[in-house]
Amino acid sequence: MAWSVSFFIFISLLVFAPICFSTKTNDGNLYPQYYYRSCPKAQEIVKSIVAKAVAKEARMAASLLRLHFHDCFVKGCDASLLLDSSRGIVTEKGSNPNRNSARGFEVLDEIKSALEKECPQTVSCADILALAARDSTVLAGGPNWEVPLGRRDSRSASLSGSNNNIPAPNNTFSTILSKFKRQGLDLVDLVALSGSHTIGNSRCTSFRQRLYNQSGNSQPDSTLDQSYAAQLRNRCPKSGGDQNLFFLDFVSPTKFDNSYFKNLLASKGLLNSDQVLATKSQASLALVKQYAENNRLFFEHFAKSMVKMGNISPLTGSRGEIRKNCRKMN
């Protein structure tokens, strides 16, 4: 009897081994257990360093979350954003969406260094970005989710892709939705992921036109609450002050919650790309209202959309590489 029980356990382990223990994918799919055998402390290491960085500066949570977004929208989630210019590489860090605003690279360097000591050339920079985005969200009070893993790192970057694929603050609603659909994302993903603007900051230069000349007629944006606009003008003049920072969600700027959507309904979205979610599409407005009323629903949709975004064109199998240094190819 004892032998037959042992044999049953042995057979069971064989059956489940590909799911629980394998570090390679057969079909290119990502899965949360990817590093369970090859680097079992990987997620713990990432989380501890992100926690230390966010404790030092709350804004870092939004910065790390944004890096994952800006990486995935260009050539897929392959850490191309992290490459510095060298050997024929023109860095994406110099693109319009990233120049003078993308930050948090030193935190990722620290994570990568710690992981290389623990398990050399095992954990990709692309997966570090995905884990850091999740951990940042949780640390700010947002939802948790299992991060599918197994991405590899690209050997190239795309400055033009960064300039053209990432939604800009002044884009129209239809342009933003088109950029999401190009990545295989839909309207729910657009509205839910925009909710990440419940934390973080934006520069004066990203929304100045709303305060002074939204439609080329020297008039402010009529969809912006005018008392809120007056407050913004105090530190965002017609000229100068380009780098002055403003909370994307002035109600709870460091807490991941649904107040961002409540702000949109009150005509107090900071960026044009935020406010159009409530003014240019009835379907989008319906989602904004749902999330404003139901924080749990927002969290649920946000987590699902983050997994979906993280699955954009990953390099798996023998494609790409596992960088030793996230800033340069091996």
Side-chain angles (χ1 to χ4, degrees):
M1 182 67 181
W3 181 88
S4 54
V5 171
S6 300
F7 182 74
F8 175 77
I9 292 172
F10 174 72
I11 293 298
S12 298
L13 285 172
L14 287 179
V15 171
F16 289 104
I19 299 174
C20 299
F21 302 126
S22 176
T23 58
K24 294 184 179 179
T25 56
N26 296 321
D27 56 3
N29 290 334
L30 309 177
Y31 57 99
Q33 301 85 3
Y34 189 83
Y35 297 111
Y36 272 22
R37 275 187 67 187
S38 60
C39 194
K41 293 183 179 179
Q43 296 200 40
E44 178 186 326
I45 289 171
V46 174
K47 184 177 181 180
S48 65
I49 295 175
V50 170
K52 183 176 69 173
V54 172
K56 183 178 179 181
E57 181 194 19
R59 180 188 172 200
M60 187 55 67
S63 299
L64 293 172
L65 179 55
R66 185 171 183 256
L67 288 180
H68 184 42
F69 175 79
H70 282 209
D71 179 51
C72 289
F73 266 60
V74 183
K75 296 171 65 269
C77 307
D78 60 2
S80 61
L81 170 59
L82 306 185
L83 288 169
D84 288 336
S85 293
S86 66
R87 294 188 341 203
I89 298 287
V90 179
T91 182
E92 294 171 17
K93 296 174 184 177
S95 70
N96 291 328
N98 295 325
R99 189 173 57 249
N100 298 322
S101 65
R103 59 195 300 275
F105 299 109
E106 295 79 8
V107 177
L108 299 173
D109 290 340
E110 184 179 349
I111 294 171
K112 183 58 175 173
S113 178
L115 286 170
E116 285 299 304
K117 290 176 183 175
E118 178 70 22
C119 34
Q121 267 192 288
T122 301
V123 182
S124 69
C125 300
D127 279 345
I128 291 172
L129 277 168
L131 288 169
R134 188 273 311 275
D135 293 340
S136 295
T137 301
V138 174
L139 286 163
N144 198 351
W145 64 91
E146 279 197 317
V147 179
L149 301 166
R151 302 167 190 80
R152 289 168 64 85
D153 301 323
S154 70
R155 294 189 176 100
S156 63
S158 177
L159 180 63
S160 61
S162 187
N163 278 321
N164 297 323
N165 295 350
I166 299 171
N170 301 328
N171 281 164
T172 63
F173 175 82
S174 60
T175 297
I176 297 169
L177 183 57
S178 293
K179 289 182 176 181
F180 269 73
K181 287 184 174 179
R182 195 183 303 163
Q183 305 297 338
L185 304 175
D186 58 26
L187 179 66
V188 174
D189 301 315
L190 165 57
V191 181
L193 292 174
S194 293
S196 63
H197 284 179
T198 181
I199 56 174
N201 301 268
S202 185
R203 298 172 296 158
C204 165
T205 186
S206 296
F207 61 86
R208 175 184 281 121
Q209 87 291 338
R210 298 193 72 204
L211 304 179
Y212 302 102
N213 190 26
Q214 175 69 357
S215 304
N217 58 0
S218 298
Q219 295 296 315
D221 188 345
S222 60
T223 68
L224 178 63
D225 179 85
Q226 291 309 299
S227 63
Y228 181 45
Q231 294 175 34
L232 296 173
R233 289 190 196 99
N234 288 330
R235 293 184 51 246
C236 187
K238 280 188 177 180
S239 62
D242 286 6
Q243 305 304 317
N244 289 351
L245 293 175
F246 294 77
F247 294 130
L248 285 161
D249 170 7
F250 68 92
V251 175
S252 54
T254 60
K255 183 181 179 184
F256 199 102
D257 58 20
N258 64 343
S259 59
Y260 163 84
F261 297 103
K262 296 175 183 178
N263 293 341
L264 297 186
L265 295 177
S267 300
K268 294 180 180 180
L270 183 63
L271 305 179
N272 177 73
S273 55
D274 293 324
Q275 197 59 53
V276 293
L277 299 179
T279 60
K280 298 299 183 180
S281 162
Q282 286 301 311
S284 174
L285 174 60
L287 284 166
V288 170
K289 288 180 176 178
Q290 286 182 56
Y291 297 156
E293 295 168 2
N294 191 334
N295 192 61
R296 181 179 293 181
L297 181 67
F298 164 47
F299 277 22
E300 178 187 328
H301 285 188
F302 182 83
K304 288 180 179 177
S305 293
M306 283 296 290
V307 171
K308 192 173 174 183
M309 183 184 77
N311 283 333
I312 298 175
S313 306
L315 298 174
T316 58
S318 60
R319 296 184 301 158
E321 64 181 10
I322 304 297
R323 292 183 210 142
K324 299 176 185 176
N325 180 332
C326 289
R327 294 175 183 257
K328 60 184 182 181
M329 295 182 294
N330 294 340

